[in-house]
Amino acid sequence: MAEQGHPGLRAILVNVGIGHAVSADELVEFEALARSAGVSPVASIDARRHRPDRRLFVGSGKAEEIAAAVAQHEANLVLVDRPLSASQERNLEREVCTQVLDRNGLILDIFAQRARSFEGKLQVELAQLERLSTRLVRGWTHLERQKGGIGLRGPGETQLETDRRLIGDRIRQLKRRLERVDRQRVQSRRLRKRSAVPTVSLVGYTNAGKSTLFNRLTGAGAYAADQLFATLDPTVRRLELAPHRQAVLADTVGFVQDLPHELVAAFRSTLLETREADLLVHVIDASDPHRAERIRQVEEVLTSVGADEVPVLQVFNKIDILGESPRLECAADGHVARVWLSAATGAGLDEFLTAVRRELDGDMVAGTLRLASSQGRIRSRLFEIDAVREERVTDEGGWLLDVEMSDSRFRQLCRHEGMSPELLEARLSS
C-alpha cells in the first residue's frame, strides 16, 4: 500500500501535560502518530498546566514560544497532543500564524488515508463531518454573507447556515448507508452462526502485530507495517485449527491511547464484531515497556462496546525481540490465560492453535432444556448454532430440547438473551 501522507508539511509538536509532566511514552507515541500521517516533525515543545487555558489551551506565553518555533523552523503546521475546542484551535492559529490541528484531527486524517473498503470510507467521512459540524462558527466572513439573486430575495440564508444544512444532510445520508452495511454484517454473522463455525477476533493496541499474526495464520497478505494504524479495515478469513476443525478469524482496527470519541462512535458497527465473537485474541507487544497500560486501554474500549464478557486469550507477541521461548500459561482453573509467540518468525504458532482449540471447545454443556412457548426466540437461536440434538413438544405447547454446546457458546447465548447463566444451568441436567 502506498503511503499517502503529507510530505510537504513541517510540524511543530506540542505536548501538554494536564496536572502532570508529559511522559516519554506520550512523546514517542505522538511523534509516531505524526509520522504515520506523513508529516515531518521539526521541533517539539513540552508544556505543563494545572488546567487548560480557556482561550488558547496552552496559555499566552507558551503560544508565543510556539510562534517563535514556527518562524525559526519554517513550519507550516502545529500539532497539539490534546483535543482542542473549535475556538481554542482558531485562537491558537491566529497566535502562531499557521494551521493548528489537535490529536483527534490528526488521528482522523490517518484513518482517512488508510480507509480502503466502502464501509471504512463511509465511517471516516461520517467522523470527519461530525467533527466539522462543531467547528462551523462565525469566524470567517465568507460564511456570514447573505446569498442574493433570483429566487433568493428576502431574509435569505447565510453561507454558514447553508454549510450546516448541507453537512447535516450528508451526515444523515451516511448514517443510512452505514445502517444498510450494518444489516449486511448482521446477516453475515447469522450465516456464520448457522454454519456452527466459531469466530475469533484479533484485538489489541495499534502496532502490536495483529496483522502480522493474521497473515502468518491465514496467508491473507493483509498490509502490515511498523507504523500506527497500518491497517484500518477489518479483514475476515478462514482459520484451520486442525483437520476438519475450522474457525473464522477477524483482524480489527488497532486501538490507541485516547482514541477519539468520534471514531469509537463511527466504528461502533465494526467494533461490534468483537462483541459477537466466540473468542477474543488480545495481541500484546511483549517488548513494550508500557504494555500494562496498553492492556488497560484496550480493555476500556472493549468494555465501551459491550465486549468485556467475551472470553479473552492474551497473546504476547514479539518474543524474538526479548529472546523468550514460546510457551502457554494456564490460569488456576485450567484455562489458557496467555500464549507467548513471535508472529514475525512463526515461533509459538502451534501452541497458539492448541490454546484456541481448547478455549473454543472449553467445557461442554449438555442436557435437557425445557422452554415455554413464549421462548421461541431461544429455541430458534439454539437451532442456528446447531446445539439441538433432539426436540420434543410438551403438553403445554413448549419444547424439551436435548442440547450440547461449548461453555463459551452457552454463556454467549445467555448474554444475548438477557438470561442469567446460573438460572439456565440450573435448568440443564448432564
Side-chain angles (χ1 to χ4, degrees), residues 256-302:
V256 72
Q257 181 176 279
D258 300 323
L259 192 66
H261 294 299
E262 303 99 303
L263 281 178
V264 173
F267 283 81
R268 183 165 295 273
S269 64
T270 302
L271 293 173
L272 286 181
E273 286 285 345
T274 61
R275 193 178 72 182
E276 299 293 333
D278 295 285
L279 178 67
L280 296 181
V281 173
H282 183 176
V283 183
I284 301 159
D285 182 354
S287 66
D288 187 347
H290 304 283
R291 68 190 188 199
E293 178 65 14
R294 303 285 188 250
I295 292 171
R296 183 190 64 79
Q297 290 158 355
V298 170
E299 290 174 346
E300 285 181 355
V301 177
L302 292 176

Coordinates of all heavy atoms in Angstrom, one line a residue, residues 256-302:
V256 N -5.7 2.9 20.3 CA -4.6 3.8 20.7 C -5.1 4.6 21.9 O -6.3 4.7 22.2 CB -4.2 4.8 19.5 CG1 -5.3 5.8 19.3 CG2 -2.9 5.5 19.7
Q257 N -4.1 5.2 22.6 CA -4.4 6.0 23.8 C -5.3 7.1 23.4 O -5.1 7.8 22.4 CB -3.1 6.5 24.4 CG -3.3 7.3 25.6 CD -1.9 7.7 26.2 OE1 -1.3 6.9 26.9 NE2 -1.5 8.9 25.9
D258 N -6.4 7.3 24.2 CA -7.3 8.5 24.0 C -7.9 8.4 22.6 O -7.9 9.4 21.8 CB -6.6 9.8 24.2 CG -6.1 9.9 25.7 OD1 -6.8 9.4 26.6 OD2 -5.0 10.5 25.8
L259 N -8.4 7.3 22.1 CA -9.0 7.2 20.8 C -10.2 8.1 20.7 O -11.0 8.1 21.6 CB -9.5 5.7 20.6 CG -9.9 5.4 19.2 CD1 -8.7 5.4 18.2 CD2 -10.5 4.0 19.1
P260 N -10.2 9.0 19.7 CA -11.3 10.0 19.6 C -12.7 9.4 19.7 O -13.0 8.3 19.1 CB -11.1 10.6 18.3 CG -9.6 10.4 18.0 CD -9.3 9.1 18.6
H261 N -13.6 10.1 20.5 CA -14.9 9.6 20.6 C -15.7 9.5 19.3 O -16.5 8.6 19.1 CB -15.7 10.5 21.6 CG -15.2 10.4 23.0 ND1 -15.2 9.3 23.8 CD2 -14.7 11.4 23.8 CE1 -14.7 9.5 24.9 NE2 -14.4 10.8 25.0
E262 N -15.3 10.4 18.4 CA -16.0 10.4 17.1 C -15.7 9.0 16.3 O -16.6 8.5 15.7 CB -15.5 11.5 16.2 CG -15.7 12.9 16.8 CD -14.4 13.4 17.4 OE1 -13.9 12.7 18.3 OE2 -14.0 14.5 17.0
L263 N -14.4 8.5 16.5 CA -14.1 7.3 15.8 C -14.7 6.1 16.5 O -15.1 5.2 15.8 CB -12.6 7.2 15.8 CG -11.9 8.0 14.7 CD1 -10.4 7.8 14.8 CD2 -12.4 7.6 13.3
V264 N -14.8 6.1 17.8 CA -15.4 5.0 18.5 C -16.8 4.9 18.1 O -17.4 3.8 17.9 CB -15.3 5.1 20.1 CG1 -16.1 4.1 20.8 CG2 -13.8 5.1 20.5
A265 N -17.5 6.1 18.0 CA -18.9 6.1 17.6 C -19.1 5.6 16.1 O -19.9 4.8 15.8 CB -19.5 7.5 17.8
A266 N -18.2 6.2 15.2 CA -18.4 5.9 13.8 C -18.0 4.4 13.5 O -18.7 3.8 12.7 CB -17.4 6.8 13.0
F267 N -17.1 3.8 14.3 CA -16.7 2.5 14.0 C -17.4 1.5 15.0 O -16.9 0.3 15.1 CB -15.2 2.3 14.1 CG -14.4 2.8 12.9 CD1 -14.2 4.2 12.8 CD2 -14.0 2.0 11.9 CE1 -13.5 4.7 11.7 CE2 -13.3 2.5 10.8 CZ -13.1 3.8 10.7
R268 N -18.4 1.9 15.6 CA -19.1 1.0 16.5 C -19.6 -0.3 15.9 O -19.5 -1.3 16.4 CB -20.3 1.8 17.2 CG -21.0 1.0 18.2 CD -21.9 1.8 19.1 NE -21.1 2.8 19.8 CZ -20.6 2.5 21.0 NH1 -20.8 1.4 21.6 NH2 -20.0 3.4 21.7
S269 N -20.2 -0.1 14.7 CA -20.7 -1.4 14.0 C -19.5 -2.3 13.7 O -19.7 -3.6 13.8 CB -21.4 -1.0 12.7 OG -20.5 -0.4 11.8
T270 N -18.3 -1.8 13.3 CA -17.2 -2.7 13.1 C -16.7 -3.3 14.4 O -16.4 -4.5 14.5 CB -16.0 -1.9 12.5 OG1 -16.5 -1.3 11.3 CG2 -14.8 -2.8 12.2
L271 N -16.6 -2.5 15.5 CA -16.2 -3.0 16.8 C -17.2 -4.0 17.4 O -16.8 -4.8 18.2 CB -16.0 -1.8 17.7 CG -14.8 -0.8 17.3 CD1 -14.8 0.4 18.3 CD2 -13.5 -1.6 17.4
L272 N -18.4 -3.9 17.0 CA -19.4 -4.9 17.5 C -19.1 -6.3 17.0 O -19.6 -7.2 17.6 CB -20.8 -4.5 17.0 CG -21.4 -3.3 17.7 CD1 -22.8 -3.0 17.2 CD2 -21.5 -3.5 19.2
E273 N -18.2 -6.4 16.0 CA -17.8 -7.8 15.6 C -17.1 -8.4 16.8 O -17.2 -9.6 17.0 CB -16.8 -7.7 14.4 CG -17.5 -7.4 13.1 CD -18.2 -8.6 12.5 OE1 -17.9 -9.7 13.0 OE2 -19.0 -8.4 11.6
T274 N -16.4 -7.6 17.6 CA -15.7 -8.2 18.8 C -16.7 -8.7 19.8 O -16.5 -9.7 20.4 CB -14.8 -7.2 19.4 OG1 -15.6 -6.0 19.9 CG2 -13.8 -6.7 18.5
R275 N -17.9 -8.0 19.9 CA -18.9 -8.5 20.9 C -19.5 -9.8 20.5 O -20.0 -10.5 21.3 CB -19.9 -7.4 21.1 CG -20.8 -7.5 22.3 CD -21.8 -6.4 22.4 NE -22.8 -6.4 21.4 CZ -23.8 -5.5 21.2 NH1 -23.8 -4.5 22.1 NH2 -24.7 -5.6 20.3
E276 N -19.6 -10.0 19.2 CA -20.3 -11.2 18.7 C -19.3 -12.4 18.6 O -19.7 -13.5 18.2 CB -20.9 -10.9 17.3 CG -21.9 -9.8 17.3 CD -23.2 -10.2 18.1 OE1 -23.5 -11.4 18.1 OE2 -23.9 -9.3 18.6
A277 N -18.0 -12.2 18.8 CA -17.1 -13.2 18.7 C -17.2 -14.3 19.8 O -17.7 -14.0 20.9 CB -15.6 -12.7 18.7
D278 N -16.8 -15.5 19.4 CA -16.7 -16.6 20.4 C -15.5 -16.5 21.3 O -15.5 -16.9 22.5 CB -16.8 -18.0 19.7 CG -18.1 -18.2 19.0 OD1 -19.1 -18.5 19.6 OD2 -18.1 -18.1 17.8
L279 N -14.4 -15.9 20.8 CA -13.2 -15.7 21.5 C -12.5 -14.5 21.0 O -12.4 -14.2 19.8 CB -12.3 -17.0 21.3 CG -10.9 -16.9 21.9 CD1 -11.0 -17.0 23.5 CD2 -10.1 -18.1 21.4
L280 N -11.9 -13.7 21.9 CA -11.1 -12.5 21.6 C -9.7 -12.9 21.8 O -9.3 -13.4 22.9 CB -11.5 -11.3 22.4 CG -12.9 -10.7 22.2 CD1 -13.0 -9.5 23.1 CD2 -13.1 -10.4 20.8
V281 N -8.8 -12.7 20.8 CA -7.4 -12.9 21.0 C -6.8 -11.5 21.1 O -6.7 -10.7 20.2 CB -6.8 -13.6 19.8 CG1 -5.3 -13.6 19.9 CG2 -7.3 -15.0 19.7
H282 N -6.3 -11.2 22.3 CA -5.8 -9.8 22.6 C -4.3 -9.9 22.4 O -3.5 -10.5 23.2 CB -6.1 -9.5 24.1 CG -5.6 -8.1 24.5 ND1 -5.8 -7.5 25.7 CD2 -4.9 -7.2 23.8 CE1 -5.3 -6.3 25.7 NE2 -4.7 -6.1 24.6
V283 N -3.8 -9.3 21.3 CA -2.4 -9.3 20.9 C -1.7 -8.2 21.6 O -2.1 -7.0 21.5 CB -2.3 -9.2 19.4 CG1 -0.8 -9.3 19.0 CG2 -3.1 -10.3 18.7
I284 N -0.6 -8.5 22.3 CA 0.1 -7.6 23.1 C 1.6 -7.6 22.7 O 2.2 -8.6 22.4 CB 0.0 -7.9 24.6 CG1 -1.5 -8.0 25.0 CG2 0.8 -7.0 25.5 CD1 -1.7 -8.8 26.3
D285 N 2.2 -6.4 22.6 CA 3.6 -6.3 22.3 C 4.4 -6.6 23.5 O 4.5 -5.7 24.4 CB 3.9 -4.8 21.7 CG 5.4 -4.7 21.3 OD1 6.2 -5.6 21.6 OD2 5.7 -3.6 20.8
A286 N 5.0 -7.8 23.6 CA 5.7 -8.2 24.8 C 6.9 -7.3 25.1 O 7.4 -7.2 26.2 CB 6.1 -9.6 24.7
S287 N 7.4 -6.7 24.0 CA 8.6 -5.9 24.2 C 8.3 -4.4 24.6 O 9.3 -3.7 24.9 CB 9.4 -5.8 22.8 OG 8.7 -5.2 21.8
D288 N 7.1 -4.1 24.7 CA 6.7 -2.7 25.0 C 6.8 -2.5 26.6 O 6.1 -3.2 27.3 CB 5.2 -2.5 24.6 CG 4.8 -1.0 24.8 OD1 5.5 -0.3 25.5 OD2 3.7 -0.6 24.2
P289 N 7.6 -1.6 27.0 CA 7.7 -1.4 28.5 C 6.4 -0.9 29.1 O 6.3 -1.0 30.4 CB 8.9 -0.4 28.6 CG 8.9 0.3 27.3 CD 8.5 -0.7 26.3
H290 N 5.5 -0.4 28.4 CA 4.3 0.1 28.9 C 3.1 -0.8 28.5 O 2.0 -0.3 28.4 CB 4.0 1.5 28.3 CG 5.1 2.5 28.6 ND1 5.3 3.1 29.8 CD2 6.1 2.9 27.8 CE1 6.4 3.9 29.8 NE2 6.9 3.8 28.5
R291 N 3.4 -2.1 28.4 CA 2.3 -3.0 27.9 C 1.2 -3.1 28.9 O 0.0 -3.3 28.5 CB 2.9 -4.4 27.7 CG 3.4 -5.1 28.9 CD 4.2 -6.4 28.5 NE 4.5 -7.2 29.6 CZ 5.4 -8.1 29.6 NH1 6.1 -8.3 28.6 NH2 5.6 -8.9 30.7
A292 N 1.4 -2.9 30.2 CA 0.3 -3.0 31.2 C -0.7 -1.9 31.0 O -1.9 -2.1 31.0 CB 0.8 -2.9 32.6
E293 N -0.2 -0.7 30.6 CA -1.1 0.5 30.3 C -1.8 0.2 29.0 O -3.0 0.5 28.9 CB -0.3 1.7 30.3 CG -1.1 3.0 29.9 CD -2.1 3.4 31.0 OE1 -2.0 2.8 32.1 OE2 -3.0 4.2 30.7
R294 N -1.1 -0.4 28.0 CA -1.8 -0.6 26.8 C -2.9 -1.7 26.9 O -4.0 -1.5 26.3 CB -0.7 -1.2 25.8 CG 0.5 -0.4 25.6 CD 0.2 0.8 24.7 NE 1.3 1.5 24.3 CZ 1.6 2.7 24.7 NH1 0.8 3.4 25.5 NH2 2.7 3.4 24.3
I295 N -2.7 -2.7 27.8 CA -3.7 -3.7 28.0 C -4.9 -3.0 28.6 O -6.1 -3.3 28.2 CB -3.2 -4.8 28.9 CG1 -2.1 -5.6 28.2 CG2 -4.3 -5.7 29.4 CD1 -1.4 -6.6 29.1
R296 N -4.7 -2.1 29.6 CA -5.8 -1.4 30.2 C -6.6 -0.6 29.2 O -7.9 -0.6 29.3 CB -5.3 -0.5 31.4 CG -6.4 0.2 32.1 CD -5.8 1.3 33.1 NE -5.2 2.3 32.3 CZ -5.8 3.3 31.7 NH1 -7.2 3.4 31.8 NH2 -5.2 4.3 31.1
Q297 N -5.9 0.1 28.3 CA -6.6 1.0 27.4 C -7.5 0.2 26.4 O -8.6 0.6 26.0 CB -5.6 1.8 26.6 CG -5.0 2.9 27.5 CD -3.6 3.4 27.0 OE1 -3.1 2.9 26.0 NE2 -3.0 4.3 27.7
V298 N -6.9 -1.0 26.0 CA -7.7 -1.9 25.1 C -9.0 -2.4 25.8 O -10.1 -2.4 25.2 CB -6.8 -3.0 24.5 CG1 -7.7 -4.1 23.8 CG2 -5.7 -2.5 23.6
E299 N -8.8 -2.8 27.0 CA -9.9 -3.3 27.8 C -11.0 -2.3 28.0 O -12.2 -2.6 28.0 CB -9.4 -3.9 29.1 CG -8.6 -5.1 29.0 CD -8.0 -5.6 30.3 OE1 -8.0 -4.8 31.3 OE2 -7.5 -6.8 30.4
E300 N -10.6 -1.0 28.1 CA -11.6 0.1 28.3 C -12.4 0.2 27.0 O -13.7 0.4 27.1 CB -10.9 1.4 28.6 CG -10.4 1.5 30.0 CD -9.7 2.9 30.2 OE1 -9.6 3.7 29.3 OE2 -9.3 3.1 31.4
V301 N -11.8 0.1 25.8 CA -12.6 0.2 24.6 C -13.5 -1.0 24.4 O -14.7 -0.8 24.0 CB -11.6 0.3 23.4 CG1 -12.4 0.3 22.1 CG2 -10.8 1.6 23.4
L302 N -13.0 -2.2 24.7 CA -13.9 -3.4 24.7 C -15.1 -3.3 25.6 O -16.2 -3.7 25.2 CB -13.0 -4.6 25.0 CG -11.9 -5.0 24.0 CD1 -11.1 -6.2 24.5 CD2 -12.5 -5.3 22.6

